Amino acid sequence: MIDFWIILTASLVATTTAILGCFLIMRKMAMIGDAISHAVLPGIVIAYYISHSRASLPILVGAAASGMVVTYLIQFFNQKVKLQQDASIGISYTFLFAIGIILISLFSGNVDLDQDCVLYGEIAYVPLDHMSIAGHYAGPRQVWILGSTLIIILTSVIIAYRKLVLTTFDPAFASAMGISVVLWQYYLMAGVSLTTVVSFESVGAVLVIAFLSGPAATAFLLTKDFKKMIYLAVGFGISASILGYYTAVWLAGSIAGAIATVIGLQFAIAFIYIQFVRKAHISQTLENKALTEV
Amino acid sequence: MEFLTEIWSFFTFSEPNVKVVFWGSLILCSISGLVGTFTLLRKRSLIGDVISHAVLPGIALAFIIGQQKNPLYLIIGATITGWISTYLVDYITKHSKIKNDTAIALILSVFFGVGVLLLTHIQHSGNASQSGLDQFIFGRASAMNMSDVWLFSIVGTIITILIVIFFRGLSLLSFDENYSQSIGFPNELLKLILSITTVTTVAMGVQAVGVVLMSALLITPAACAKFWTNKIIPMAILALVISGASGVLGSAISYTYNGMPTGPWIVVVVSLFAFISAFIGRKNGLLKKYLQRSKNNTKILRENTIKLFFNPKTLGETQFSFEDIFAKSKMQRATLKKGLSLLKSDKLITTNQGTYATTSLGIEEAKTIVRKHRLWELYISKFMHLQPDHVHDDAEGIEHVITPEIERELEKELDFPTKDPHDSDIPY
């Protein structure tokens, strides 16, 4: 049963992040996801410290606040003082992440968080923290939280699908149609922040980027159809969760780390397939065609 | 107070271990500041981020193979995986439709994931000497020993010598890759040198700062320096100094608190340097920009106010009341008052019982600004074929930036005209 809950948790994270990841990588915003996932740390720690609990609401508020700080810092460096984009992102999130780690060390004892958890989560402990409804066992708390996040993200994406796609692929046309590109960007960023925060406990700050960018990138290699890309990405995410879990059990290592490894392998296989197999196939076809034409 | 005595004991090397921490973090951070200058200029700051996460599996593998925490093995392992990661990012970007940022995010997190998997595997397999291996994640300068410092000094010297020897080539590569290629510089070799030095620096630096925050040491000092100078040599030196100072200060602070990781403190210190530089830096700094803007605004206000006194028939004779001038202007009351007091302090106007009159200096000033305005109007209506009623707004802006040299050019170009497009006289 524990296996099931862990795999279910990982799959929920993977599904939510895969959907958002498809939009992120098409918008060339994968590194903004990276920045946000690091930068929410101080907010989360302060929220833990103040509320003395793992209650979700204060943590969401704290994370949202520090997410806003990092967005502002990046904008400050990039636009107010004309620092190049990559350096602006780099300075801002490392600073906030460092503050977060310092806060964890300062509050250690008062805060039920440790440095390792920040990096690769505690998905193995997810089944221990369970809820009960009317005295009946109702599954781990994380599963409920991640499940509702998935539903929220899924509904938001379905409702705004056309607009999100349009602003992603043709922002110029979208603004000509009167659709605000900035507004939908923030809509997406809000989704990314929410997902990052709730996934934080189970996969950690760094590995959530693997979930965001990996399955989406693999799917992008294999198809040109955006809808198909989303389905494929979700498929890759879930299969990586299952394979990753058993890899971790086999190696007695971190589950989130193992899932990230499997995500990397999936990408490598797809990449090699595209690079060599398909290219060889295409040149073979071209050769045959040339022969028949002669 | 206790904090101060602790800090004091750090800088006086009262404990032998402190000397190691001091020199170790000084050398590591200085070198990463130096190397980071080139990474920043080549707009590859986030590659530094990739490398610093990607050294983790190398460290873990080196440990699994070597079965001990030998700094040389760990650095070699870290260098190898770090270098593979940059190569993969470039390869993926070049050979597929995957964009650079996606490749960076993917490689960074997957390598880190592999590292975490291996590291946790080592921890769970219960190897006793693995203790201290997780210091690589957030850095613990206090865990360094003298042989580490020697190793850093040797590798650091080699890196510095390489950079000094290839300095011209590396600068050219950083500023203009295509030009460097076209005049026959060995671009591929230079890139290789740069990536080897970057990867080696990161591989060493994770000792003090840890893998997660190492990228800050490559990016932030160089970004600080960029707020002070545009020249590469001062920039590299400044980055080196800022980074070294942050390294020492950061490890001093973390030394005073027991069990505090070093990396975050170094990063916080260097980030503070960055914020300060962003505010008071000479290049693009906020304060500098603010001063420049207020200087410009004063100049524009001064010129706009004196213009109000320009009246071809009664120049210099009439006493204007405030209300007269206010009716002519399009300014707010307070702005106009400020403008008038500016003029008065420059002795361009005199006041007498609430009325204002121009001095001879003021007349010249008013004439000049109106002349510039009308010359420009004539110029754009003649050469850009704009209708006379379309040229005023443009001239309103441009009159403040026309220098005497441009004015002479305009006069020559227009053959010393006397009438502007609205048929008013151009005052000389």
Side-chain angles (χ1 to χ4, degrees):
Chain A
M1 201 57 192
I2 285 174
D3 297 9
F4 169 76
W5 288 125
I6 292 177
I7 292 175
L8 181 61
T9 314
S11 305
L12 287 172
V13 175
T15 310
T16 323
T17 48
I19 297 171
L20 290 171
C22 289
F23 287 98
L24 275 190
I25 73 164
M26 298 316 291
R27 286 172 172 245
K28 306 197 188 82
M29 277 165 56
M31 288 314 284
I32 304 272
D34 180 38
I36 289 186
S37 65
H38 281 80
V40 291
L41 184 62
I44 292 178
V45 181
I46 292 173
Y48 264 142
Y49 182 69
I50 293 174
S51 70
H52 281 289
S53 74
R54 292 200 168 192
S56 309
L57 191 67
I59 288 169
L60 274 182
V61 175
S66 48
M68 261 153 38
V69 171
V70 75
T71 322
Y72 175 77
L73 277 182
I74 293 176
Q75 214 174 335
F76 168 79
F77 278 116
N78 194 8
Q79 286 167 11
K80 284 267 163 61
V81 289
K82 307 276 175 243
L83 191 64
Q84 62 208 47
Q85 171 98 20
D86 58 340
S88 310
I89 296 178
I91 292 185
S92 311
Y93 87 79
T94 49
F95 172 64
L96 285 171
F97 193 71
I99 298 263
I101 298 293
I102 289 174
L103 289 178
I104 290 182
S105 310
L106 276 183
F107 298 160
S108 60
N110 291 321
V111 175
D112 185 16
L113 257 182
D114 61 20
Q115 294 170 0
D116 291 354
C117 158
V118 169
L119 284 176
Y120 38 88
E122 286 176 330
I123 200 167
Y125 303 131
V126 161
L128 302 179
D129 178 15
H130 52 75
M131 302 215 313
S132 43
I133 295 170
H136 298 286
Y137 176 70
R141 199 175 54 91
Q142 273 286 305
V143 169
W144 284 94
I145 295 175
L146 288 165
S148 5
T149 312
L150 174 59
I151 292 168
I152 294 171
I153 298 290
L154 205 55
T155 349
S156 334
V157 169
I158 290 172
I159 291 172
Y161 185 75
R162 288 174 59 92
K163 283 175 177 152
L164 281 175
V165 170
L166 196 57
T167 49
T168 303
F169 287 95
D170 200 341
F173 180 63
S175 41
M177 298 260 297
I179 300 168
S180 163
V181 178
V182 180
L183 175 77
W184 292 105
Q185 173 154 332
Y186 276 108
Y187 187 82
L188 195 63
M189 290 331 289
V192 173
S193 314
L194 175 69
T195 311
T196 316
V197 176
V198 296
S199 319
F200 187 85
E201 268 185 55
S202 37
V203 296
V206 183
L207 292 178
V208 73
I209 313 151
F211 285 76
L212 275 172
S213 61
T218 313
F220 180 52
L221 282 178
L222 297 174
T223 177
K224 281 183 177 151
D225 180 337
F226 188 64
K227 260 193 189 150
K228 231 186 234 168
M229 179 177 156
I230 296 180
Y231 294 136
L232 270 178
V234 171
F236 284 129
I238 294 175
S239 54
S241 307
I242 299 168
L243 284 173
Y245 175 72
Y246 288 107
T247 315
V249 172
W250 172 52
L251 286 174
S254 150
I255 296 167
I259 298 175
T261 310
V262 174
I263 288 174
L265 287 177
Q266 285 176 338
F267 180 84
I269 293 167
F271 190 81
I272 292 168
Y273 169 74
I274 295 292
Q275 281 298 290
F276 303 105
V277 183
R278 194 184 271 181
K279 268 193 188 152
H281 180 71
I282 290 170
S283 60
Q284 186 70 42
T285 327
L286 286 177
E287 215 167 90
N288 287 347
K289 210 174 166 193
L291 282 176
T292 47
E293 272 167 7
V294 167
Chain B
M1 208 54 226
E2 196 185 339
F3 177 75
L4 285 180
T5 46
E6 288 274 328
I7 288 275
W8 175 249
S9 80
F10 180 86
F11 282 105
T12 49
F13 299 157
S14 62
E15 281 178 46
N17 186 36
V18 175
K19 214 175 204 168
V20 173
V21 176
F22 176 87
W23 287 110
S25 21
L26 181 69
I27 295 169
L28 285 176
C29 297
S30 309
I31 290 172
S32 57
L34 178 67
V35 173
T37 312
F38 296 99
T39 334
L40 184 93
L41 289 174
R42 292 196 67 212
K43 303 227 171 1
R44 285 165 69 89
S45 296
L46 292 176
I47 292 283
D49 204 12
V50 176
I51 301 173
S52 58
H53 284 78
V55 297
L56 192 62
I59 290 172
L61 276 177
F63 181 80
I64 291 176
I65 294 168
Q67 286 300 320
Q68 54 168 327
K69 207 189 125 222
N70 180 328
L72 187 64
Y73 284 5
L74 296 183
I75 287 180
I76 292 172
T79 310
I80 292 171
T81 50
W83 189 75
I84 292 176
S85 73
T86 54
Y87 180 77
L88 281 180
V89 169
D90 289 341
Y91 189 85
I92 291 172
T93 316
K94 206 168 162 190
H95 289 91
S96 74
K97 53 181 180 173
I98 301 283
K99 308 280 186 308
N100 189 247
D101 69 311
T102 310
I104 288 177
L106 178 80
I107 295 296
L108 174 159
S109 53
V110 167
F111 269 67
F112 189 77
V114 175
V116 165
L117 179 64
L118 293 174
L119 213 59
T120 43
H121 170 68
I122 296 169
Q123 280 166 347
H124 290 169
S125 60
N127 188 330
S129 57
Q130 56 87 28
S131 62
L133 207 54
D134 53 343
Q135 89 198 29
F136 287 101
I137 291 186
F138 292 115
R140 180 144 301 160
S142 55
M144 287 190 279
N145 55 40
M146 211 53 209
S147 66
D148 290 333
V149 175
W150 280 114
L151 185 69
F152 299 157
S153 333
I154 294 165
V155 179
T157 316
I158 295 173
I159 290 176
T160 317
I161 291 174
L162 272 178
I163 288 181
V164 170
I165 292 176
F166 293 98
F167 194 80
R168 274 174 63 87
L170 291 176
S171 326
L172 198 55
L173 180 75
S174 311
F175 283 112
D176 195 338
E177 205 174 312
N178 293 333
Y179 178 65
S180 151
Q181 179 93 42
S182 71
I183 61 167
F185 270 72
N187 261 16
E188 291 309 313
L189 176 72
L190 291 171
K191 278 186 202 166
L192 187 69
I193 289 171
L194 208 51
S195 77
I196 289 176
T197 48
T198 315
V199 172
T200 321
T201 309
V202 172
M204 292 194 314
V206 293
Q207 291 252 2
V209 195
V211 291
V212 186
L213 291 169
M214 183 58 210
S215 55
L217 268 195
L218 284 175
I219 303 169
T220 316
C224 281
K226 220 171 162 234
F227 285 118
W228 296 98
T229 173
N230 284 335
K231 295 203 177 77
I232 187 162
I233 294 178
M235 187 176 155
I237 294 173
L238 193 60
L240 185 146
V241 171
I242 289 176
S243 191
S246 315
V248 171
L249 279 175
S251 39
I253 296 171
S254 87
Y255 166 82
T256 56
Y257 290 103
N258 238 342
M260 192 67 101
T262 326
W265 276 114
I266 295 181
V267 172
V268 166
V269 173
V270 78
S271 303
L272 290 182
F273 276 120
F275 289 124
I276 295 170
S277 305
F279 279 105
I280 60 168
R282 284 196 302 146
K283 306 279 174 203
N284 289 326
L286 269 193
L287 187 68
K288 171 96 178 167
K289 252 187 211 166
Y290 173 77
L291 290 177
Q292 187 69 45
R293 191 174 301 155
S294 77
K295 204 176 140 197
N296 280 343
N297 285 345
T298 316
K299 182 173 188 272
I300 291 172
L301 177 62
R302 188 171 168 274
E303 292 180 350
N304 280 342
T305 323
I306 191 73
K307 216 167 57 176
L308 298 171
F309 288 90
F310 182 78
N311 184 335
K313 294 187 190 79
T314 58
L315 202 56
E317 290 161 22
T318 327
Q319 300 278 334
F320 294 92
S321 74
F322 182 79
E323 292 306 320
D324 286 343
I325 307 170
F326 184 66
K328 240 178 123 180
S329 76
K330 284 175 192 140
M331 299 180 205
Q332 305 265 327
R333 239 165 223 284
T335 323
L336 181 59
K337 274 188 184 146
K338 205 175 133 204
L340 286 172
S341 68
L342 274 174
L343 294 182
K344 211 183 140 206
S345 66
D346 284 356
K347 299 210 168 32
L348 298 182
I349 54 170
T350 51
T351 53
N352 184 18
Q353 291 166 351
T355 59
Y356 299 86
T358 41
T359 63
S360 58
L361 213 61
I363 296 167
E364 282 312 305
E365 188 87 18
K367 267 186 181 172
T368 310
I369 194 78
V370 172
R371 186 167 66 240
K372 284 176 179 170
H373 182 103
R374 293 188 177 165
L375 278 171
W376 186 256
E377 284 187 333
L378 188 62
Y379 179 74
I380 54 174
S381 67
K382 197 164 168 187
F383 287 92
M384 297 168 83
H385 306 290
L386 288 177
Q387 292 301 314
D389 56 336
H390 280 64
V391 294
H392 175 76
D393 289 340
D394 193 43
E396 270 300 285
I398 236 76
E399 64 188 22
H400 304 294
V401 290
I402 292 180
T403 59
E405 292 80 25
I406 299 177
E407 196 190 329
R408 274 199 292 283
E409 287 286 313
L410 283 174
E411 285 169 351
K412 221 158 70 187
E413 201 71 36
L414 297 163
D415 202 14
F416 300 96
T418 49
K419 295 279 183 195
D420 81 349
H422 312 296
D423 219 26
S424 315
D425 282 324
I426 295 177
Y428 285 102

